[in-house]
Coordinates of all heavy atoms in Angstrom, one line a residue:
M1 N -157.6 138.9 0.0 CA -158.0 137.5 0.0 C -156.9 136.7 -0.6 O -156.1 137.1 -1.5 CB -159.2 137.4 -0.9 CG -159.8 136.0 -1.0 SD -161.4 136.0 -1.8 CE -161.9 134.3 -1.5
S2 N -156.7 135.5 -0.1 CA -155.6 134.6 -0.6 C -156.1 133.3 -1.0 O -157.3 132.9 -0.6 CB -154.5 134.5 0.4 OG -155.0 134.1 1.7
E3 N -155.3 132.5 -1.7 CA -155.8 131.2 -2.2 C -154.7 130.2 -2.1 O -153.6 130.5 -2.6 CB -156.2 131.4 -3.7 CG -156.4 130.2 -4.5 CD -156.6 130.5 -6.0 OE1 -156.6 131.7 -6.4 OE2 -156.6 129.5 -6.7
A4 N -154.9 129.1 -1.5 CA -153.9 128.0 -1.4 C -153.8 127.3 -2.7 O -154.7 126.9 -3.3 CB -154.4 127.0 -0.3
L5 N -152.5 127.3 -3.2 CA -152.2 126.7 -4.5 C -151.9 125.2 -4.4 O -152.3 124.4 -5.2 CB -151.0 127.4 -5.1 CG -151.3 128.9 -5.4 CD1 -150.0 129.6 -5.9 CD2 -152.4 129.1 -6.4
C6 N -151.0 124.9 -3.4 CA -150.6 123.5 -3.2 C -149.9 123.4 -1.9 O -149.7 124.4 -1.2 CB -149.7 123.0 -4.3 SG -148.2 124.0 -4.5
R7 N -149.6 122.2 -1.5 CA -148.8 122.1 -0.3 C -147.3 122.2 -0.7 O -146.9 121.8 -1.8 CB -149.0 120.7 0.3 CG -150.4 120.5 0.9 CD -150.5 119.1 1.5 NE -150.0 118.1 0.6 CZ -149.3 117.0 1.1 NH1 -149.2 116.8 2.4 NH2 -148.8 116.1 0.3
L8 N -146.5 122.8 0.2 CA -145.1 123.0 -0.1 C -144.5 121.6 -0.4 O -143.6 121.4 -1.2 CB -144.4 123.7 1.0 CG -142.9 124.0 0.8 CD1 -142.8 124.9 -0.4 CD2 -142.4 124.7 2.1
A9 N -144.9 120.6 0.4 CA -144.4 119.3 0.2 C -144.7 118.7 -1.2 O -144.1 117.7 -1.6 CB -145.0 118.4 1.3
D10 N -145.7 119.3 -1.9 CA -146.0 118.8 -3.2 C -145.0 119.2 -4.3 O -145.1 118.8 -5.4 CB -147.4 119.2 -3.6 CG -148.5 118.6 -2.8 OD1 -148.3 117.5 -2.2 OD2 -149.6 119.2 -2.7
V11 N -144.2 120.2 -3.9 CA -143.2 120.7 -4.9 C -141.9 120.0 -4.6 O -141.2 120.2 -3.6 CB -143.0 122.2 -4.7 CG1 -142.1 122.8 -5.8 CG2 -144.3 122.9 -4.6
P12 N -141.5 119.0 -5.4 CA -140.4 118.2 -5.2 C -139.1 119.0 -5.3 O -139.1 120.0 -6.0 CB -140.4 117.0 -6.2 CG -141.4 117.5 -7.2 CD -142.3 118.5 -6.6
P13 N -138.0 118.6 -4.7 CA -136.7 119.4 -4.8 C -136.3 119.7 -6.2 O -135.8 120.8 -6.4 CB -135.7 118.4 -4.1 CG -136.5 117.6 -3.2 CD -137.8 117.4 -3.9
D14 N -136.5 118.8 -7.1 CA -136.1 119.1 -8.5 C -137.3 119.0 -9.4 O -137.2 118.4 -10.5 CB -135.0 118.2 -9.0 CG -133.7 118.7 -8.4 OD1 -133.4 119.9 -8.5 OD2 -132.9 117.8 -7.9
G15 N -138.4 119.6 -9.0 CA -139.6 119.5 -9.7 C -140.6 120.6 -9.6 O -140.2 121.7 -9.1
T16 N -141.8 120.4 -10.0 CA -142.8 121.4 -10.1 C -144.1 120.9 -9.6 O -144.3 119.7 -9.5 CB -143.0 122.0 -11.5 OG1 -143.4 120.9 -12.3 CG2 -141.7 122.6 -12.0
A17 N -145.0 121.8 -9.2 CA -146.4 121.4 -8.9 C -147.3 122.3 -9.7 O -147.2 123.5 -9.6 CB -146.6 121.5 -7.4
L18 N -148.2 121.7 -10.4 CA -149.2 122.4 -11.2 C -150.4 122.8 -10.3 O -150.9 122.0 -9.6 CB -149.6 121.6 -12.4 CG -150.5 122.2 -13.4 CD1 -149.9 123.4 -14.1 CD2 -150.9 121.1 -14.5
A19 N -150.8 124.1 -10.4 CA -151.9 124.5 -9.6 C -152.8 125.4 -10.4 O -152.6 126.6 -10.5 CB -151.4 125.2 -8.3
G20 N -153.8 124.8 -11.1 CA -154.6 125.6 -12.0 C -153.8 126.1 -13.1 O -153.0 125.4 -13.7
G21 N -153.9 127.4 -13.4 CA -153.1 128.0 -14.4 C -151.7 128.5 -14.0 O -151.1 129.3 -14.7
L22 N -151.3 128.1 -12.8 CA -150.0 128.5 -12.2 C -149.2 127.2 -11.9 O -149.8 126.1 -11.9 CB -150.3 129.2 -10.9 CG -151.2 130.4 -10.9 CD1 -151.4 130.9 -9.5 CD2 -150.8 131.5 -11.8
F23 N -147.9 127.4 -11.7 CA -147.1 126.3 -11.2 C -146.1 126.8 -10.3 O -145.6 127.9 -10.4 CB -146.5 125.5 -12.4 CG -145.4 126.2 -13.2 CD1 -144.1 126.0 -12.9 CD2 -145.8 127.1 -14.2 CE1 -143.1 126.7 -13.7 CE2 -144.8 127.8 -14.9 CZ -143.5 127.6 -14.7
A24 N -145.7 125.9 -9.3 CA -144.7 126.2 -8.4 C -143.5 125.4 -8.7 O -143.6 124.3 -9.1 CB -145.2 125.9 -7.0
V25 N -142.3 126.0 -8.5 CA -141.1 125.3 -8.8 C -140.0 125.6 -7.7 O -140.0 126.7 -7.2 CB -140.5 125.7 -10.2 CG1 -140.2 127.2 -10.3 CG2 -139.3 124.9 -10.6
R26 N -139.2 124.6 -7.4 CA -138.1 124.8 -6.5 C -137.0 125.5 -7.2 O -136.7 125.1 -8.3 CB -137.7 123.5 -5.9 CG -138.7 122.8 -5.1 CD -138.5 123.1 -3.6 NE -139.5 122.3 -2.8 CZ -139.7 122.4 -1.6 NH1 -139.0 123.3 -0.9 NH2 -140.5 121.7 -0.9
A27 N -136.3 126.4 -6.5 CA -135.1 127.0 -7.1 C -134.1 127.1 -5.9 O -134.1 128.0 -5.1 CB -135.4 128.4 -7.6
G28 N -133.4 126.0 -5.8 CA -132.5 125.8 -4.6 C -133.4 125.6 -3.4 O -134.3 124.8 -3.4
D29 N -133.2 126.4 -2.3 CA -134.0 126.3 -1.1 C -135.3 127.1 -1.2 O -136.2 126.9 -0.4 CB -133.2 126.8 0.1 CG -132.0 125.9 0.4 OD1 -132.1 124.7 0.1 OD2 -131.1 126.4 1.1
A30 N -135.4 127.9 -2.3 CA -136.5 128.8 -2.4 C -137.6 128.1 -3.3 O -137.3 127.1 -4.0 CB -136.1 130.1 -3.0
V31 N -138.7 128.7 -3.4 CA -139.8 128.3 -4.3 C -140.2 129.5 -5.1 O -140.2 130.7 -4.6 CB -141.0 127.8 -3.5 CG1 -142.2 127.5 -4.4 CG2 -140.6 126.5 -2.8
A32 N -140.5 129.4 -6.4 CA -141.1 130.4 -7.2 C -142.4 129.9 -7.7 O -142.6 128.7 -7.9 CB -140.1 130.8 -8.3
V33 N -143.3 130.9 -8.0 CA -144.6 130.6 -8.6 C -144.8 131.4 -9.8 O -144.6 132.7 -9.7 CB -145.8 130.8 -7.6 CG1 -147.1 130.5 -8.3 CG2 -145.6 129.9 -6.4
Y34 N -145.2 130.8 -10.9 CA -145.3 131.5 -12.2 C -146.7 131.2 -12.8 O -147.2 130.1 -12.6 CB -144.2 131.1 -13.2 CG -142.8 131.5 -12.7 CD1 -142.0 130.5 -12.3 CD2 -142.4 132.8 -12.7 CE1 -140.7 130.8 -11.9 CE2 -141.1 133.1 -12.2 CZ -140.3 132.1 -11.9 OH -139.0 132.4 -11.4
V35 N -147.1 132.1 -13.7 CA -148.3 131.8 -14.5 C -147.8 130.8 -15.6 O -146.7 131.0 -16.2 CB -148.8 133.1 -15.2 CG1 -149.9 132.8 -16.2 CG2 -149.3 134.1 -14.1
N36 N -148.6 129.8 -15.9 CA -148.2 128.8 -16.9 C -148.6 129.3 -18.3 O -149.5 128.9 -18.9 CB -149.0 127.5 -16.6 CG -148.6 126.4 -17.6 OD1 -147.7 126.5 -18.3 ND2 -149.4 125.3 -17.6
A37 N -147.7 130.3 -18.7 CA -147.9 130.9 -20.0 C -146.6 131.4 -20.5 O -145.8 132.1 -19.8 CB -148.9 132.1 -20.0
C38 N -146.2 131.0 -21.7 CA -145.0 131.4 -22.3 C -145.0 132.8 -22.8 O -146.0 133.2 -23.5 CB -144.6 130.4 -23.5 SG -143.1 130.8 -24.3
P39 N -144.0 133.6 -22.6 CA -144.1 135.0 -23.0 C -144.0 135.1 -24.6 O -144.3 136.2 -25.1 CB -142.9 135.7 -22.4 CG -142.0 134.6 -21.8 CD -142.9 133.4 -21.7
H40 N -143.6 134.0 -25.2 CA -143.5 134.1 -26.7 C -144.9 134.2 -27.3 O -145.2 135.2 -28.0 CB -142.8 132.9 -27.2 CG -142.6 132.9 -28.7 ND1 -142.6 131.7 -29.4 CD2 -142.4 133.9 -29.6 CE1 -142.4 132.0 -30.7 NE2 -142.3 133.3 -30.8
L41 N -145.8 133.2 -27.1 CA -147.1 133.2 -27.7 C -148.2 133.1 -26.7 O -149.4 133.0 -27.1 CB -147.2 132.1 -28.7 CG -146.3 132.2 -29.9 CD1 -146.4 130.9 -30.8 CD2 -146.5 133.4 -30.7
G42 N -147.9 133.0 -25.4 CA -148.9 132.9 -24.4 C -149.5 131.5 -24.2 O -150.5 131.4 -23.4
V43 N -149.0 130.5 -24.8 CA -149.5 129.1 -24.6 C -149.0 128.6 -23.3 O -148.0 129.0 -22.8 CB -149.1 128.2 -25.8 CG1 -149.6 128.8 -27.1 CG2 -147.6 128.1 -25.9
A44 N -149.6 127.5 -22.8 CA -149.1 126.8 -21.7 C -147.7 126.2 -21.9 O -147.4 125.8 -23.1 CB -150.1 125.6 -21.3
L45 N -146.9 126.3 -20.9 CA -145.5 125.9 -21.1 C -145.4 124.3 -21.2 O -144.5 123.8 -21.9 CB -144.7 126.4 -19.9 CG -144.5 127.9 -19.9 CD1 -144.1 128.3 -18.4 CD2 -143.4 128.3 -20.8
D46 N -146.2 123.7 -20.4 CA -146.0 122.2 -20.3 C -146.7 121.5 -21.5 O -147.7 121.9 -22.0 CB -146.6 121.7 -19.0 CG -147.9 122.2 -18.6 OD1 -148.4 123.2 -19.2 OD2 -148.6 121.5 -17.8
G47 N -146.0 120.5 -22.0 CA -146.6 119.6 -23.0 C -147.5 118.6 -22.3 O -148.7 118.8 -22.1
P48 N -146.9 117.5 -21.8 CA -147.7 116.7 -20.9 C -147.9 117.5 -19.6 O -147.0 118.2 -19.1 CB -146.7 115.5 -20.6 CG -145.7 115.5 -21.7 CD -145.6 117.0 -22.1
P49 N -149.2 117.6 -19.1 CA -149.5 118.5 -18.0 C -148.5 118.2 -16.8 O -148.3 117.1 -16.4 CB -150.9 118.0 -17.6 CG -151.5 117.5 -18.9 CD -150.3 116.9 -19.6
G50 N -148.0 119.3 -16.3 CA -147.1 119.2 -15.1 C -145.7 119.0 -15.4 O -144.9 118.9 -14.5
R51 N -145.3 118.8 -16.7 CA -143.9 118.6 -17.0 C -143.3 119.9 -17.5 O -143.6 120.3 -18.7 CB -143.7 117.5 -18.0 CG -144.3 116.2 -17.5 CD -143.6 115.0 -17.9 NE -142.2 115.1 -18.1 CZ -141.5 114.1 -18.7 NH1 -142.1 113.1 -19.2 NH2 -140.2 114.3 -18.9
F52 N -142.5 120.6 -16.7 CA -142.0 121.9 -17.0 C -140.5 121.9 -17.2 O -140.0 122.9 -17.7 CB -142.4 122.9 -15.9 CG -143.8 123.2 -15.8 CD1 -144.7 122.4 -15.0 CD2 -144.4 124.2 -16.5 CE1 -146.0 122.7 -14.9 CE2 -145.7 124.5 -16.5 CZ -146.6 123.7 -15.6
L53 N -139.8 120.9 -16.7 CA -138.3 121.1 -16.6 C -137.6 120.3 -17.7 O -138.0 119.2 -18.0 CB -137.9 120.6 -15.2 CG -138.4 121.4 -14.0 CD1 -137.9 120.8 -12.7 CD2 -138.1 122.9 -14.2
S54 N -136.5 120.9 -18.2 CA -135.6 120.2 -19.1 C -134.7 119.3 -18.3 O -134.7 119.3 -17.1 CB -134.8 121.2 -19.9 OG -133.9 121.9 -19.0
A55 N -133.9 118.5 -19.0 CA -133.0 117.5 -18.3 C -132.0 118.3 -17.5 O -131.6 117.7 -16.4 CB -132.3 116.7 -19.4
D56 N -131.6 119.5 -17.9 CA -130.7 120.2 -17.0 C -131.3 121.1 -16.0 O -130.7 122.0 -15.4 CB -129.7 121.0 -17.9 CG -130.4 122.0 -18.8 OD1 -131.6 122.2 -18.7 OD2 -129.6 122.7 -19.6
G57 N -132.7 121.0 -15.8 CA -133.3 121.7 -14.7 C -133.9 123.0 -15.0 O -134.4 123.7 -14.1
R58 N -133.9 123.5 -16.3 CA -134.5 124.8 -16.6 C -136.0 124.5 -16.9 O -136.4 123.5 -17.3 CB -133.8 125.4 -17.8 CG -132.4 125.9 -17.5 CD -131.8 126.6 -18.7 NE -130.5 127.1 -18.4 CZ -129.7 127.5 -19.3 NH1 -129.9 127.4 -20.6 NH2 -128.5 128.0 -18.9
I59 N -136.8 125.6 -16.7 CA -138.2 125.5 -17.1 C -138.1 125.6 -18.6 O -137.4 126.5 -19.2 CB -138.9 126.7 -16.5 CG1 -138.9 126.6 -15.0 CG2 -140.4 126.8 -17.1 CD1 -139.4 127.9 -14.3
V60 N -138.9 124.8 -19.3 CA -138.8 124.8 -20.8 C -140.2 124.8 -21.3 O -141.2 124.3 -20.8 CB -138.1 123.5 -21.3 CG1 -138.8 122.2 -20.9 CG2 -137.8 123.6 -22.8
C61 N -140.4 125.6 -22.4 CA -141.6 125.6 -23.1 C -141.7 124.5 -24.1 O -140.8 124.3 -25.0 CB -141.8 127.0 -23.9 SG -143.3 127.1 -24.9
A62 N -142.7 123.7 -24.1 CA -142.9 122.5 -24.9 C -143.0 122.9 -26.4 O -142.7 122.1 -27.2 CB -144.0 121.7 -24.4
L63 N -143.5 124.1 -26.7 CA -143.9 124.4 -28.1 C -142.6 124.7 -28.9 O -142.4 124.1 -29.9 CB -144.9 125.5 -28.2 CG -145.5 125.8 -29.5 CD1 -146.1 124.5 -30.1 CD2 -146.5 126.9 -29.5
H64 N -141.8 125.6 -28.5 CA -140.6 126.0 -29.2 C -139.3 125.9 -28.5 O -138.3 126.3 -29.0 CB -140.7 127.4 -29.7 CG -141.9 127.7 -30.6 ND1 -142.8 128.7 -30.4 CD2 -142.3 127.0 -31.8 CE1 -143.8 128.6 -31.3 NE2 -143.5 127.7 -32.1
G65 N -139.4 125.3 -27.3 CA -138.2 125.0 -26.5 C -137.5 126.2 -25.8 O -136.3 126.0 -25.4
A66 N -138.2 127.3 -25.6 CA -137.5 128.4 -24.8 C -137.2 127.9 -23.4 O -138.0 127.1 -22.9 CB -138.5 129.6 -24.7
E67 N -136.1 128.3 -22.9 CA -135.6 127.9 -21.6 C -135.6 129.1 -20.6 O -135.1 130.1 -21.0 CB -134.3 127.2 -21.7 CG -134.3 125.9 -22.5 CD -133.0 125.2 -22.6 OE1 -132.0 125.8 -22.1 OE2 -132.9 124.2 -23.2
F68 N -136.1 128.8 -19.4 CA -136.2 129.9 -18.4 C -135.5 129.5 -17.1 O -135.6 128.3 -16.7 CB -137.7 130.1 -18.1 CG -138.5 130.5 -19.3 CD1 -139.1 129.4 -20.1 CD2 -138.7 131.8 -19.7 CE1 -139.8 129.7 -21.2 CE2 -139.5 132.1 -20.8 CZ -140.0 131.0 -21.6
R69 N -134.9 130.5 -16.5 CA -134.2 130.2 -15.2 C -135.3 130.1 -14.1 O -136.3 130.9 -14.1 CB -133.3 131.4 -14.9 CG -132.4 131.2 -13.8 CD -131.2 132.3 -13.8 NE -131.7 133.6 -14.0 CZ -131.0 134.5 -14.7 NH1 -129.8 134.3 -15.2 NH2 -131.5 135.7 -14.9
R70 N -135.1 129.1 -13.3 CA -136.2 128.9 -12.2 C -136.3 130.0 -11.3 O -137.4 130.4 -10.9 CB -135.8 127.6 -11.4 CG -136.0 126.4 -12.2 CD -136.0 125.2 -11.3 NE -134.9 124.3 -11.6 CZ -134.7 123.2 -10.9 NH1 -135.5 122.9 -9.8 NH2 -133.7 122.4 -11.2
A71 N -135.2 130.6 -10.8 CA -135.2 131.6 -9.7 C -136.0 132.9 -10.1 O -136.7 133.4 -9.2 CB -133.8 131.9 -9.3
D72 N -135.9 133.3 -11.4 CA -136.5 134.6 -11.7 C -137.3 134.5 -13.0 O -137.9 135.5 -13.4 CB -135.5 135.7 -11.8 CG -134.4 135.4 -12.8 OD1 -134.5 134.4 -13.6 OD2 -133.4 136.1 -12.8
G73 N -137.4 133.4 -13.6 CA -138.2 133.2 -14.8 C -137.7 133.9 -16.1 O -138.4 134.0 -17.1
V74 N -136.5 134.3 -16.1 CA -135.9 135.0 -17.2 C -135.6 133.9 -18.3 O -135.1 132.9 -18.0 CB -134.6 135.8 -16.9 CG1 -133.9 136.2 -18.1 CG2 -134.9 136.9 -16.0
C75 N -136.0 134.3 -19.6 CA -135.7 133.4 -20.7 C -134.3 133.5 -21.1 O -133.8 134.6 -21.4 CB -136.6 133.7 -21.9 SG -136.4 132.6 -23.3
L76 N -133.6 132.4 -21.0 CA -132.1 132.4 -21.4 C -131.9 131.9 -22.8 O -130.8 132.2 -23.3 CB -131.4 131.4 -20.4 CG -131.5 131.8 -18.9 CD1 -131.0 130.7 -18.0 CD2 -130.9 133.1 -18.6
R77 N -132.8 131.2 -23.4 CA -132.6 130.7 -24.7 C -134.0 130.5 -25.4 O -134.9 130.0 -24.8 CB -131.9 129.3 -24.6 CG -131.5 128.7 -25.8 CD -130.6 127.5 -25.6 NE -130.7 126.7 -26.8 CZ -130.8 125.4 -26.8 NH1 -130.8 124.7 -25.7 NH2 -130.8 124.8 -27.9
G78 N -134.1 130.9 -26.6 CA -135.3 130.7 -27.4 C -135.8 132.0 -27.9 O -135.2 133.0 -27.8
P79 N -137.0 131.9 -28.6 CA -137.5 133.1 -29.3 C -137.9 134.3 -28.4 O -138.1 135.4 -28.9 CB -138.7 132.5 -30.0 CG -139.1 131.3 -29.3 CD -137.8 130.7 -28.7
C80 N -138.1 134.1 -27.1 CA -138.4 135.2 -26.2 C -137.3 135.5 -25.3 O -137.5 135.9 -24.1 CB -139.7 134.9 -25.5 SG -139.8 133.2 -24.8
R81 N -136.0 135.2 -25.7 CA -134.8 135.5 -24.9 C -134.9 136.9 -24.3 O -135.2 137.9 -25.0 CB -133.6 135.3 -25.7 CG -132.3 135.4 -24.9 CD -131.1 135.1 -25.7 NE -129.9 135.3 -24.9 CZ -128.7 135.0 -25.3 NH1 -128.5 134.5 -26.5 NH2 -127.7 135.2 -24.5
G82 N -134.6 137.0 -23.0 CA -134.6 138.2 -22.3 C -136.0 138.6 -21.7 O -136.0 139.4 -20.8
E83 N -137.0 138.0 -22.1 CA -138.3 138.2 -21.5 C -138.4 137.3 -20.3 O -137.5 136.5 -20.0 CB -139.5 137.9 -22.5 CG -139.5 138.9 -23.7 CD -140.7 138.7 -24.6 OE1 -141.8 138.7 -24.1 OE2 -140.4 138.4 -25.8
R84 N -139.5 137.4 -19.5 CA -139.6 136.6 -18.3 C -141.0 136.1 -18.1 O -142.0 136.7 -18.6 CB -139.0 137.3 -17.1 CG -139.8 138.5 -16.7 CD -139.3 139.0 -15.3 NE -137.9 139.4 -15.4 CZ -137.0 139.4 -14.4 NH1 -137.4 139.0 -13.2 NH2 -135.8 139.8 -14.5
L85 N -141.1 135.0 -17.4 CA -142.4 134.4 -17.0 C -143.0 135.4 -16.0 O -142.3 136.2 -15.3 CB -142.2 133.1 -16.3 CG -141.5 132.0 -17.1 CD1 -141.3 130.7 -16.3 CD2 -142.3 131.7 -18.4
T86 N -144.3 135.4 -15.9 CA -145.0 136.2 -15.0 C -145.0 135.6 -13.6 O -145.6 134.5 -13.4 CB -146.5 136.4 -15.4 OG1 -146.5 137.0 -16.7 CG2 -147.2 137.3 -14.5
A87 N -144.3 136.3 -12.7 CA -144.2 135.8 -11.3 C -145.5 136.1 -10.6 O -146.1 137.1 -10.8 CB -143.0 136.4 -10.6
V88 N -145.8 135.2 -9.6 CA -147.0 135.4 -8.8 C -146.6 135.5 -7.4 O -145.7 134.8 -6.8 CB -147.9 134.1 -8.9 CG1 -149.1 134.2 -8.0 CG2 -148.3 134.0 -10.4
A89 N -147.1 136.6 -6.7 CA -146.7 136.8 -5.3 C -147.4 135.7 -4.4 O -148.6 135.4 -4.7 CB -147.2 138.2 -4.9
F90 N -146.6 135.2 -3.5 CA -147.2 134.1 -2.7 C -146.5 134.2 -1.3 O -145.4 134.8 -1.1 CB -147.0 132.8 -3.3 CG -145.5 132.3 -3.4 CD1 -145.0 131.5 -2.4 CD2 -144.7 132.8 -4.4 CE1 -143.7 131.1 -2.4 CE2 -143.3 132.4 -4.4 CZ -142.8 131.6 -3.4
S91 N -147.0 133.4 -0.4 CA -146.3 133.2 0.9 C -146.5 131.7 1.2 O -147.3 131.0 0.6 CB -146.9 134.1 2.0 OG -148.3 133.8 2.1
V92 N -145.7 131.3 2.2 CA -145.8 129.9 2.6 C -146.3 130.0 4.1 O -145.7 130.6 4.9 CB -144.5 129.1 2.5 CG1 -144.7 127.7 3.1 CG2 -144.0 129.1 1.1
R93 N -147.4 129.3 4.4 CA -148.0 129.4 5.7 C -148.6 128.0 6.0 O -149.3 127.4 5.2 CB -149.1 130.4 5.7 CG -149.4 131.0 7.1 CD -150.4 132.1 7.1 NE -150.5 132.8 5.8 CZ -151.6 133.2 5.3 NH1 -152.8 132.9 5.8 NH2 -151.6 133.9 4.1
D94 N -148.2 127.5 7.2 CA -148.7 126.2 7.6 C -148.5 125.1 6.6 O -149.3 124.3 6.3 CB -150.1 126.3 8.0 CG -150.4 127.2 9.2 OD1 -149.5 127.4 10.0 OD2 -151.5 127.9 9.2
G95 N -147.3 125.2 5.9 CA -147.0 124.2 4.9 C -147.8 124.3 3.5 O -147.7 123.5 2.7
L96 N -148.5 125.4 3.4 CA -149.2 125.7 2.1 C -148.6 126.8 1.4 O -148.2 127.8 2.0 CB -150.7 126.0 2.4 CG -151.5 125.0 3.1 CD1 -152.9 125.5 3.5 CD2 -151.7 123.8 2.2
V97 N -148.6 126.7 0.0 CA -148.1 127.8 -0.8 C -149.4 128.6 -1.1 O -150.4 128.1 -1.7 CB -147.5 127.3 -2.1 CG1 -147.1 128.4 -3.0 CG2 -146.3 126.4 -1.8
I98 N -149.4 129.9 -0.7 CA -150.6 130.7 -0.8 C -150.4 131.9 -1.7 O -149.6 132.7 -1.5 CB -151.1 131.1 0.6 CG1 -151.3 129.9 1.5 CG2 -152.3 132.0 0.6 CD1 -151.6 130.2 2.9
K99 N -151.3 131.9 -2.7 CA -151.2 133.1 -3.6 C -151.7 134.3 -2.9 O -152.8 134.3 -2.3 CB -152.1 132.7 -4.8 CG -152.1 133.9 -5.9 CD -153.1 133.5 -7.0 CE -153.3 134.6 -7.9 NZ -154.3 134.3 -8.9
Q100 N -151.0 135.4 -3.1 CA -151.4 136.7 -2.6 C -152.2 137.4 -3.6 O -151.8 137.5 -4.8 CB -150.2 137.5 -2.2 CG -149.4 136.8 -1.1 CD -150.1 136.5 0.1 OE1 -150.7 137.4 0.8 NE2 -150.1 135.2 0.5
Q101 N -153.4 137.9 -3.2 CA -154.2 138.7 -4.2 C -153.8 140.2 -4.1 O -153.4 140.7 -3.1 CB -155.7 138.6 -3.8 CG -156.2 137.2 -3.8 CD -156.3 136.6 -5.2 OE1 -156.5 137.3 -6.1 NE2 -156.1 135.3 -5.2
K102 N -153.8 140.8 -5.3 CA -153.5 142.2 -5.3 C -154.7 143.0 -4.7 O -155.9 142.7 -4.9 CB -153.4 142.7 -6.8 CG -152.2 142.2 -7.5 CD -152.2 142.8 -8.9 CE -151.0 142.3 -9.6 NZ -151.0 142.8 -11.0
Q103 N -154.3 144.0 -3.9 CA -155.3 144.9 -3.3 C -154.9 146.3 -3.6 O -153.9 146.7 -3.1 CB -155.5 144.6 -1.8 CG -156.2 143.3 -1.5 CD -156.4 143.2 0.0 OE1 -155.9 143.9 0.8 NE2 -157.4 142.4 0.3
G104 N -155.6 147.0 -4.4 CA -155.2 148.3 -4.8 C -153.8 148.3 -5.5 O -153.6 147.5 -6.4
R105 N -152.9 149.0 -5.0 CA -151.5 149.1 -5.6 C -150.5 148.2 -4.8 O -149.4 148.2 -5.2 CB -151.1 150.5 -5.7 CG -151.9 151.3 -6.7 CD -151.7 152.7 -6.7 NE -150.3 153.1 -6.3 CZ -150.0 154.4 -6.1 NH1 -150.9 155.3 -6.2 NH2 -148.8 154.7 -5.8
L106 N -151.0 147.6 -3.8 CA -150.1 146.8 -3.0 C -150.4 145.3 -3.1 O -151.5 144.9 -3.3 CB -150.2 147.2 -1.5 CG -149.9 148.7 -1.2 CD1 -150.2 149.0 0.2 CD2 -148.4 149.0 -1.5
F107 N -149.4 144.5 -2.9 CA -149.6 143.0 -2.8 C -150.0 142.7 -1.4 O -149.5 143.3 -0.5 CB -148.4 142.3 -3.2 CG -148.3 142.2 -4.7 CD1 -147.9 143.2 -5.5 CD2 -148.6 141.0 -5.4 CE1 -147.8 143.2 -6.8 CE2 -148.5 140.9 -6.7 CZ -148.1 142.0 -7.5
Ligands
LIG201 S1 -144.6 129.5 -27.5 FE1 -143.0 129.1 -26.0 S2 -141.2 129.4 -27.1 FE2 -142.7 129.7 -28.5

C-alpha cells in the first residue's frame, strides 16, 4: 500500500513541503523525504511549521541548531553530528510524491 504525501510541484527548488510527520526537500534535481524528527532528542525539526532550511540551505533543527545535508540527511554540525535523519522510501508518479510502505523485508 502507498500513500501520496504531496505534489512534486509543492516542493520548491530551494524549499521543503511538510506532509504530516514527514517532509520532502529538494536536493539538486532530486527529492528526499525524511521523518520530521531530530536524531538528537526526537523532536520535530521545524520551529515555525514547514521551515526546515538554514540560510545556506541545510536542513536545520530549530531546537539546538543541528545541521543536516539535504541529499542524505547526515548531520554535519551539532550535538548529533554523524547521525542521520530517517529517510523514507518514496516514488514519484503522476506528479505525486508517494510514500512506499514496507512489506515484509522489502520496500
Ligand atoms: S533536538 Fe535537534 S539538535 Fe537537539
Side-chain angles (χ1 to χ4, degrees):
M1 184 169 186
S2 56
E3 169 189 352
L5 298 173
C6 62
R7 296 181 314 144
L8 185 60
D10 292 338
V11 189
D14 283 313
T16 60
L18 186 61
L22 310 176
F23 67 100
V25 61
R26 296 264 185 187
D29 291 336
V31 173
V33 178
Y34 298 108
V35 175
N36 183 11
C38 181
H40 182 213
L41 297 178
V43 301
L45 293 158
D46 49 339
R51 297 212 39 191
F52 291 92
L53 299 181
S54 65
D56 61 0
R58 289 181 177 164
I59 298 166
V60 65
C61 176
L63 190 55
H64 300 127
E67 294 180 358
F68 305 86
R69 193 164 44 214
R70 287 196 241 180
D72 58 11
V74 170
C75 180
L76 301 172
R77 185 172 161 222
C80 47
R81 185 176 178 171
E83 296 184 55
R84 63 175 60 209
L85 301 175
T86 302
V88 175
F90 70 96
S91 60
V92 177
R93 204 174 335 137
D94 298 328
L96 296 173
V97 177
I98 299 172
K99 178 183 174 188
Q100 301 300 304
Q101 301 290 331
K102 289 183 182 178
Q103 288 187 340
R105 294 170 29 190
L106 301 173
F107 280 76

